[in-house]
Amino acid sequence: MVDRGMGIQQAIEAPRIALDADPGFYTPGAEITLDMESRFPPETVAQLRAMGHKVETVGPFSIGSIQGILASPGGARMAGGDPRRMGYAVGY
């Protein structure tokens, strides 16, 4: 939201990345794989691979799940729900 100037719903729906390490993140020299939702531009995936990253593309809405509530300093609240999983945001 801050870095890209997005609203809460737009930020929640944005494509995501996740890291995986084999055999694990605490193993020196572990092989890191970058999982990217398939909604990233193909050029972005190609550039990361050209830099030597191991990249796997996954389904378009398949990484994670989040619901959020944004409270403004004036007291207004905006909520966003993730289309990746069943859920909703509730505030009071």
Side-chain angles (χ1 to χ4, degrees), residues 4-46:
R4 304 269 185 220
M6 298 176 171
I8 190 165
Q9 186 64 43
Q10 185 182 13
I12 288 172
E13 291 179 6
R16 295 188 187 156
I17 61 172
L19 298 177
D20 189 27
D22 186 27
F25 284 105
Y26 299 106
T27 305
E31 182 177 72
I32 305 295
T33 301
L34 180 63
D35 292 333
M36 299 180 70
E37 288 184 339
S38 61
R39 296 180 300 130
F40 278 96
E43 300 82 23
T44 301
V45 175

Side-chain angles (χ1 to χ4, degrees), residues 1 15 75 89:
M1 293 178 53

Side-chain angles (χ1 to χ4, degrees), residues 13-91:
E13 291 179 6
R16 295 188 187 156
I17 61 172
L19 298 177
D20 189 27
D22 186 27
F25 284 105
Y26 299 106
T27 305
E31 182 177 72
I32 305 295
T33 301
L34 180 63
D35 292 333
M36 299 180 70
E37 288 184 339
S38 61
R39 296 180 300 130
F40 278 96
E43 300 82 23
T44 301
V45 175
Q47 288 173 345
L48 288 166
R49 286 182 176 145
M51 287 189 265
H53 297 287
K54 182 178 178 187
V55 179
E56 298 287 334
T57 55
V58 297
F61 286 91
S62 61
I63 297 176
S65 179
I66 186 172
Q67 279 56 246
I69 299 170
L70 174 66
S72 74
R77 290 178 173 81
M78 298 289 294
D82 201 331
R84 292 166 179 86
R85 309 282 184 274
M86 190 166 66
Y88 52 89
V90 176

